[in-house]
């Protein structure tokens, strides 16, 4: 969507799901749920229905950055050797990493610019959102526990906001 409100399709075709790499309408995605942009203007998409992370260049070329649509799971690895299980949200940082809230796997995953996937944190319950800060920390919406988690670059997990299992809308 341009600043003037003009809408165009960068990748994929309306009503056509699948898992094809390609440019523009030749590409196929399946239930994309999360999107983030890096400093070079590349988009990273949590292709939830395919359990993959897709990369879309500013020109609209779509490629599978990490994961394998034929194999869902939580295996660390490089590119298609890694697996995800319902990736829901993505975020990027200034160092070229992509972070994934891997919802059904209950993990936060880190993908380097070289497509090396590692598990940064586990033991979450349905992570549904992820963000980064300038200090290299990652924040995750631990949705089923009703809390926000902070994860340091070393992988130390702490509760940033909320109380486990306590729902509500109280400030504090």
């Amino acid at each position: 969507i341009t600043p003037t409100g003009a809408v165009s399709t960068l990748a994929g075709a309306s009503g056509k799901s699948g898992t094809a790499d390609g440019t523009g309408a030749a590409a196929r995605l399946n239930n994309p749920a999360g999107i983030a942009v890096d400093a070079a203007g590349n988009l990273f998409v949590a292709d939830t229905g395919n359990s993959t992370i897709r990369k879309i260049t500013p020109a609209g070329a779509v490629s599978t950055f990490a994961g394998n649509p034929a194999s869902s799971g939580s295996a660390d690895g490089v590119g298609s050797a890694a697996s995800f299980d319902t990736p829901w949200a993505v975020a990027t940082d200034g160092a070229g990493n992509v972070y994934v809230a891997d919802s059904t796997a209950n993990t936060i995953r880190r993908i380097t610019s070289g497509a090396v996937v590692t598990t940064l944190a586990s033991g979450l319950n349905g992570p549904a959102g992820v963000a980064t800060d300038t200090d290299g920390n990652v924040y995750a919406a631990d949705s089923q526990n009703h809390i926000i988690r902070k994860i340091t670059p070393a992988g130390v997990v702490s509760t940033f906001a909320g109380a486990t299992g306590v729902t509500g809308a109280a400030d504090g």
Side-chain angles (χ1 to χ4, degrees):
I1 303 171
T2 68
T4 60
V7 178
S8 63
T9 301
L10 179 63
S14 180
K16 297 183 179 182
S17 66
T19 185
D21 290 344
T23 301
R28 295 289 178 267
L29 298 118
N30 186 2
N31 195 23
I35 190 166
V37 63
D38 70 6
N42 296 301
L43 301 176
F44 291 89
V45 178
D47 193 358
T48 302
N50 287 318
S51 288
T52 58
I53 305 304
R54 310 294 289 281
K55 180 179 179 179
I56 306 174
T57 68
V62 178
S63 61
T64 302
F65 186 60
N68 184 334
S71 169
S72 67
S74 60
D76 291 343
V78 179
S80 63
S83 60
F84 297 89
D85 194 355
T86 319
W88 198 255
V90 291
T92 58
D93 67 12
N97 296 303
V98 177
Y99 297 89
V100 179
D102 202 2
S103 187
T104 302
N106 297 313
T107 58
I108 300 298
R109 316 287 292 285
R110 177 176 34 216
I111 311 171
T112 67
S113 59
V116 177
V117 178
T118 56
T119 299
L120 181 62
S122 60
L124 285 76
N125 192 359
V130 65
T132 61
D133 69 16
T134 57
D135 294 327
N137 296 302
V138 176
Y139 299 87
D142 193 353
S143 68
Q144 298 301 307
N145 284 324
H146 311 290
I147 55 179
I148 304 300
R149 299 285 194 172
K150 178 181 178 182
I151 307 157
T152 68
V156 176
V157 180
S158 62
T159 298
F160 185 72
T164 301
V166 178
T167 62
D171 292 340

